[in-house]
Amino acid sequence: MKRLIYGRWIAIAAAMGAMSLSVPAHAQFGGVVFDPTQSAHATQQIFNEAKGLSNQATRIAQGSQTNLTLAQQLTQDIQMAGTALKIYNQSITTYNTIFNNLKYFNSKQIWRTAENALMNSSVQNTYGETSGLQSQLNGQSQNASTVWKIMNLAISGTSSSFWGNQIVGASDRLSTLAHIEAMDAASTQCLGAVGAYNAARTNATAANTALDNSIYDTSVLTNSEVEQLNLLTMSNSHQLQEAQAQGQLQACLAAQSAVANMDKRNQASQTINDANFRITQQANNPTYIGGGSQTWTTYY
């Protein structure tokens, strides 16, 4: 670029030198003659060279601006390349995760556990004393109340005279009757809960088996992310149903425990009441053996 500029300056200087060294023409009358054509050519050449220098300076400035733009573009390209590299690395990580899940998540047999089969109840029924109990326990009947009544001794002496003048909370007869009725209610509830649980387990056998086979399946389709999420959802649903059934059985056990506590409490209450009755009778009706002491008064 510098050589070109120097060359043009040399050409301009040569032109000017030629003008200064030109031999003036002698006029016819002895004066110096001015050549306007040659002067105009020299002036035009100077103008052209000046214009060329101006254009060259403009191109140099444009080249500098172009170089600056290219540097900025290169910086942006480097940043974009770094971003693309990060995305690529993330894609590789995601692919490796999916690949490892499909390759190693298939080996699930080590998690398999044997589910105990629910055995059917077998109840002896020699003279009809347990009629319907076996069907009830196996979930094949819905007559828990009837079955319970058949197996238990009915209450006799239910005439009005037998229950007459009995005060709730102060009557042994009414307390015993309440205990019997509470046992009837709790036991009927338990028989119904056991039958319903066994029936539900029987009806859900096919579904549980299908779910179990899908969980331990080693094919690619059942080990995809969507399929695994579906299996987890269904498994949670079955667990919820099982938890609800277990809750009913636990409620039954709680009711049975309450009834058993009634029996123990009545016995304890009866012991205190008997002691109080003896003390009261001894105080109101003192009787002593002839010639004896009052030792028996405090004996009970």
Side-chain angles (χ1 to χ4, degrees):
M1 184 65 69
K2 290 182 178 181
R3 292 181 179 179
L4 180 61
I5 295 175
Y6 290 155
R8 292 188 176 182
W9 276 109
I10 292 173
I12 294 173
M16 294 179 68
M19 291 176 62
S20 62
L21 295 177
S22 61
V23 179
H26 294 280
Q28 185 178 2
F29 301 100
V32 178
V33 178
F34 177 74
D35 190 350
T37 302
Q38 187 176 3
S39 177
H41 288 169
T43 303
Q44 184 65 34
Q45 186 176 3
I46 293 172
F47 175 78
N48 293 337
E49 291 297 333
K51 185 177 180 180
L53 290 175
S54 177
N55 293 336
Q56 185 66 30
T58 301
R59 285 195 294 271
I60 292 173
Q62 291 177 350
S64 299
Q65 183 64 34
T66 301
N67 292 336
L68 179 60
T69 303
L70 290 176
Q72 294 176 348
Q73 184 65 38
L74 180 60
T75 302
Q76 294 178 356
D77 291 342
I78 293 175
Q79 294 177 351
M80 292 177 62
T83 302
L85 181 60
K86 292 181 180 179
I87 296 175
Y88 171 77
N89 291 332
Q90 292 176 355
S91 300
I92 291 297
T93 302
T94 303
Y95 169 78
N96 290 334
T97 300
I98 297 175
F99 176 79
N100 290 330
N101 285 340
L102 293 177
K103 181 178 180 181
Y104 300 108
F105 195 65
N106 292 349
S107 301
K108 298 179 289 186
Q109 297 300 323
I110 58 175
W111 301 335
R112 182 181 292 276
T113 57
E115 181 179 2
N116 294 328
L118 193 63
M119 299 181 64
N120 291 332
S121 298
S122 179
V123 182
Q124 185 68 29
N125 184 25
T126 306
Y127 300 103
E129 68 280 3
T130 58
S131 297
L133 180 59
Q134 179 172 325
S135 297
Q136 179 63 43
L137 293 177
N138 294 327
Q140 302 169 355
S141 174
Q142 299 297 327
N143 297 319
S145 178
T146 301
V147 172
W148 178 254
K149 289 180 180 179
I150 291 175
M151 296 187 302
N152 290 276
L153 179 65
I155 299 175
S156 61
T158 56
S159 61
S160 58
S161 60
F162 180 80
W163 300 107
N165 300 324
Q166 299 296 312
I167 300 175
V168 176
S171 171
D172 295 340
R173 298 176 186 178
L174 293 180
S175 177
T176 303
L177 178 63
H179 186 205
I180 294 173
E181 291 172 342
M183 283 191 294
D184 291 342
S187 299
T188 301
Q189 177 189 3
C190 287
L191 286 178
V194 172
Y197 179 76
N198 291 339
R201 283 287 299 269
T202 301
N203 295 333
T205 299
N208 287 331
T209 301
L211 178 62
D212 187 70
N213 292 334
S214 297
I215 290 175
Y216 292 102
D217 184 32
T218 58
S219 63
V220 176
L221 293 179
T222 57
N223 285 275
S224 65
E225 183 177 0
V226 174
E227 182 67 17
Q228 289 297 312
L229 291 176
N230 289 336
L231 292 177
L232 288 175
T233 301
M234 294 306 301
S235 179
N236 290 335
S237 176
H238 282 287
Q239 291 178 5
L240 177 61
Q241 295 177 2
E242 179 66 20
Q244 292 174 344
Q246 292 293 333
Q248 294 179 351
L249 295 178
Q250 292 296 326
C252 168
L253 294 177
Q256 292 283 16
S257 177
V259 171
N261 289 336
M262 287 180 61
D263 187 28
K264 294 180 180 179
R265 185 190 181 282
N266 288 336
Q267 291 178 3
S269 297
Q270 187 64 45
T271 299
I272 294 176
N273 293 339
D274 290 343
N276 181 65
F277 177 78
R278 287 192 296 269
I279 292 175
T280 301
Q281 291 300 319
Q282 289 171 356
N284 295 332
N285 302 290
T287 55
Y288 307 105
I289 300 175
S293 65
Q294 298 183 3
T295 304
W296 293 101
T297 303
T298 57
Y299 180 79
Y300 56 88

